[in-house]
C-alpha cells in the first residue's frame, strides 16, 4: 500500500474546505432573494410594538413553543428553523424582539443593519385594548425603524458604489411595488415588508361598535398607506392565531400567507397588502367631529387628528423601569450574583473611605 505523505493529506483537506466554502458562498448569495427560483435560506424579522401588548406570547405561538412568556428585557434575539422537505436544509429565521414599547426605540439600529437588509421584515404589534396609546406608539416606532432603514440604505448604496467591481451581500432597502398596486401614486410604502398586528382582539370586540369602527378603519388606512398587511388576533383564539401564524411564516420563511380578506369592523380584520384601497376604506369615520374644522396637511394628518379627537393620546414618554434587571430572579446566577454582591460592598466601602479623605482635606484647607 503506497504511503500518503502528510502534505498530500493537508492538500486534500484544504481542497475540501475550499469546496465547502464555495458552496456556502453560493447559498449565502441567494439569501433573501427569490429570483431564478432560488429558495431563501435566511431571513430576519424585527418585532416591536405596544408595551405588554403580547409580542412574546404571539411569537412563541407562531414558533409552536410551549413556553411561559416573560417580559422582554430591552432587545432579545431568538431564531426559528423550518425544514423544506425530507433530508433538506432548514430555512432559518433570525427573530429580534424589542421590548419597552417606545422607550427603547433607539435599539432598532442593532437588528436593522446593512447586512441582510433585503431579507428583513418588520412586525408591528399594537394593543387594541388600549386605543388611547395606539397611534402614538405606531407613529414613534415606525418613524424610528424607517429612519434607521433609510440610514442603512444610504450606507449600503455608498458601499456598493465603492465596491462596484466586487459585489458583496450588502443591498439597499429599496422596495418595489407592482405597477398595478392600488393607489400606488398616493401611498408611501414602508422600505421593507411590514405586518401590522392588532393584539388582544378578545377585549377589543367588547368595545362600542362606533369606537371599533374608528380603530379598524384607521388601521386599515395606515396599513394601506405603508403598503402593509393587517391582521387582528388574540392568543385566546386558535383560529385567529392560525391565521396570524401564516402571516408570520410568510415573512419568516417565505410561505404562502393565504388569500383571506375581511374588512368588516364587526369582525377581526384580515387585510393582505395590496388587497385594500382608499376608495374601499372611505373617509375618516368622524361621527362627532367636524372634519372641515380640522386643519390637516395631508390625508394621514387628517386621519390622525380625527383619531385623536375620539381617542386622546396618552403620553408616550415611557420611562425605563428603575428596577435593576440584574436583581430579577429570572436572570439569577448564584456564583456571579455572589461576586457582584462582594464588588458592590467593596464599592460602598471605597465611597465611604473617599468621602472621609475629602472631608479631611477640606478641614486642613
Amino acid at each position: 500500500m503506497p504511503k500518503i505523505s502528510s502534505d498530500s493529506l493537508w492538500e486534500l483537506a484544504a481542497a475540501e474546505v475550499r469546496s465547502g466554502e464555495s458552496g456556502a458562498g453560493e447559498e449565502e448569495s441567494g439569501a433573501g432573494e427569490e429570483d431564478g427560483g432560488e429558495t431563501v435560506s435566511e431571513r430576519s424579522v424585527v418585532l416591536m410594538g405596544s408595551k405588554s401588548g403580547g409580542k412574546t406570547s404571539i411569537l412563541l405561538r407562531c414558533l409552536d413553543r410551549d413556553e411561559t412568556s416573560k417580559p422582554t428585557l430591552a432587545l432579545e434575539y431568538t431564531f426559528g428553523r423550518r425544514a423544506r422537505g425530507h433530508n433538506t436544509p432548514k430555512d432559518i429565521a433570525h427573530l429580534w424582539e424589542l421590548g419597552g414599547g417606545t422607550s427603547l426605540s433607539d435599539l432598532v439600529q442593532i437588528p436593522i443593519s446593512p447586512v441582510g437588509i433585503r431579507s428583513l421584515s418588520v412586525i408591528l404589534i399594537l394593543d387594541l385594548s388600549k386605543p388611547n396609546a395606539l397611534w402614538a406608539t405606531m407613529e414613534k416606532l415606525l418613524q424610528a425603524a424607517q429612519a434607521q432603514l433609510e440610514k442603512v440604505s444610504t450606507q449600503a448604496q455608498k458601499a456598493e458604489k465603492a465596491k462596484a467591481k466586487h459585489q458583496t451581500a450588502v443591498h439597499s432597502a429599496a422596495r418595489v411595488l407592482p405597477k398595478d398596486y392600488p393607489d400606488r401614486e398616493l401611498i408611501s410604502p414602508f422600505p421593507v415588508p411590514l405586518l401590522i398586528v392588532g393584539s388582544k382582539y378578545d377585549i377589543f370586540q367588547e368595545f362600542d361598535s362606533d369606537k371599533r369602527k374608528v380603530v379598524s378603519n384607521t388601521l386599515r388606512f395606515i396599513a394601506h398607506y405603508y403598503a402593509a398587511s393587517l391582521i387582528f388576533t388574540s392568543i385566546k383564539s386558535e383560529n385567529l392565531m392560525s391565521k396570524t401564524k401564516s402571516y408570520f411564516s410568510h415573512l419568516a420563511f417565505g410561505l404562502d400567507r393565504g388569500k383571506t380578506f375581511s374588512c368588516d369592523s364587526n369582525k377581526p380584520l384580515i387585510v393582505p397588502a395590496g388587497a385594500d384601497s382608499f376608495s374601499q376604506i372611505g373617509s375618516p369615520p368622524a361621527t362627532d367631529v367636524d372634519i372641515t374644522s380640522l386643519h390637516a396637511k395631508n390625508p394621514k394628518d387628517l386621519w390622525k387628528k380625527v383619531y385623536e379627537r375620539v381617542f386622546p393620546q396618552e403620553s408616550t414618554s415611557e420611562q425605563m423601569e428603575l428596577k435593576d434587571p440584574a436583581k430579577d430572579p429570572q436572570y439569577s446566577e448564584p456564583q456571579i450574583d455572589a461576586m457582584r454582591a462582594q464588588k458592590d460592598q467593596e464599592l460602598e466601602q471605597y465611597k465611604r473611605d473617599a468621602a472621609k479623605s475629602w472631608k479631611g482635606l477640606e478641614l486642613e484647607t
Side-chain angles (χ1 to χ4, degrees):
M1 181 175 180
K3 184 179 179 181
I4 302 176
S5 67
S6 59
D7 290 342
S8 298
L9 288 174
W10 280 113
E11 289 172 2
L12 290 171
E16 185 70 23
V17 170
R18 285 194 295 269
S19 175
E21 289 178 345
S22 176
E26 291 175 1
E27 181 178 1
E28 183 179 358
S29 65
E33 298 183 6
E34 296 177 292
D35 298 333
E38 294 182 1
T39 303
V40 176
S41 58
E42 293 190 31
R43 293 173 182 245
S44 297
V45 181
V46 178
L47 290 89
M48 56 187 186
S50 305
K51 187 174 182 179
S52 302
K55 297 183 294 296
T56 304
S57 298
I58 291 174
L59 177 59
L60 291 175
R61 292 287 291 275
C62 288
L63 293 174
D64 293 325
R65 293 182 184 174
D66 187 14
E67 303 175 18
T68 302
S69 62
K70 299 177 181 179
T72 302
L73 181 64
L75 180 69
E76 296 189 2
Y77 169 83
T78 187
F79 67 92
R81 293 188 295 178
R82 182 184 181 279
R84 305 177 212 168
H86 185 62
N87 292 329
T88 58
K90 291 185 177 180
D91 292 338
I92 300 175
H94 302 284
L95 309 169
W96 299 85
E97 182 184 350
L98 178 67
T102 61
S103 64
L104 301 173
S105 58
D106 290 344
L107 292 180
V108 296
Q109 61 185 307
I110 296 175
I112 301 178
S113 62
V115 180
I117 193 172
R118 286 193 63 184
S119 63
L120 178 72
S121 301
V122 172
I123 297 179
L124 176 66
I125 299 177
L126 300 174
D127 189 344
L128 296 175
S129 69
K130 299 177 180 178
N132 294 86
L134 190 147
W135 184 285
T137 298
M138 174 273 299
E139 188 172 51
K140 184 168 183 178
L141 289 175
L142 288 185
Q143 285 178 350
Q146 189 159 7
Q148 178 63 15
L149 284 165
E150 292 173 354
K151 178 181 177 181
V152 166
S153 179
T154 301
Q155 294 174 349
Q157 289 173 3
K158 291 181 180 179
E160 287 180 343
K161 290 180 180 179
K163 300 180 179 180
K165 295 181 180 180
H166 305 283
Q167 293 296 326
T168 64
V170 179
H171 300 281
S172 66
R175 182 185 177 195
V176 181
L177 297 178
K179 293 183 179 180
D180 60 346
Y181 198 92
D183 306 310
R184 191 171 184 271
E185 303 299 325
L186 303 175
I187 63 178
S188 179
F190 201 69
V192 297
L194 171 66
L195 170 63
I196 299 177
V197 178
S199 64
K200 301 186 181 181
Y201 180 77
D202 54 302
I203 300 176
F204 177 71
Q205 65 180 348
E206 302 299 328
F207 284 17
D208 177 77
S209 60
D210 289 337
K211 292 186 176 181
R212 287 204 311 269
K213 185 175 182 181
V214 172
V215 175
S216 297
N217 285 16
T218 299
L219 287 180
R220 281 180 64 190
F221 172 85
I222 290 298
H224 186 56
Y225 179 79
Y226 285 113
S229 295
L230 171 66
I231 186 170
F232 284 1
T233 193
S234 168
I235 59 172
K236 296 182 179 181
S237 170
E238 291 295 333
N239 183 42
L240 291 179
M241 279 309 307
S242 176
K243 290 180 171 59
T244 304
K245 183 180 178 180
S246 69
Y247 274 77
F248 169 83
S249 298
H250 172 70
L251 297 179
F253 302 110
L255 302 183
D256 183 20
R257 68 187 175 192
K259 298 181 180 179
T260 304
F261 176 80
S262 174
C263 61
D264 187 348
S265 61
N266 294 314
K267 299 178 181 179
L269 297 185
I270 304 176
V271 186
D276 215 344
S277 66
F278 288 141
S279 61
Q280 294 182 72
I281 298 171
S283 59
T287 53
D288 299 326
V289 180
D290 181 10
I291 295 181
T292 58
S293 66
L294 301 177
H295 302 286
K297 302 176 183 178
N298 49 56
K300 181 185 173 185
D301 191 40
L302 176 62
W303 279 84
K304 177 181 180 179
K305 291 182 180 298
V306 171
Y307 186 86
E308 291 182 339
R309 284 288 185 92
V310 181
F311 299 105
Q313 294 298 280
E314 300 172 351
S315 174
T316 57
S317 57
E318 300 171 349
Q319 300 296 323
M320 294 181 63
E321 296 182 6
L322 297 178
K323 180 182 177 181
D324 186 355
K327 298 179 181 179
D328 193 320
Q330 67 173 318
Y331 304 113
S332 63
E333 292 285 350
Q335 294 181 342
I336 296 177
D337 292 342
M339 293 178 64
R340 172 65 182 270
Q342 180 181 342
K343 293 298 180 183
D344 287 342
Q345 292 177 359
E346 293 176 359
L347 178 61
E348 290 301 321
Q349 184 61 44
Y350 173 79
K351 289 180 179 179
R352 288 193 291 269
D353 293 343
K356 291 179 181 179
S357 63
W358 277 107
K359 288 180 180 178
L361 181 61
E362 291 174 359
L363 290 174
E364 292 176 3
T365 302

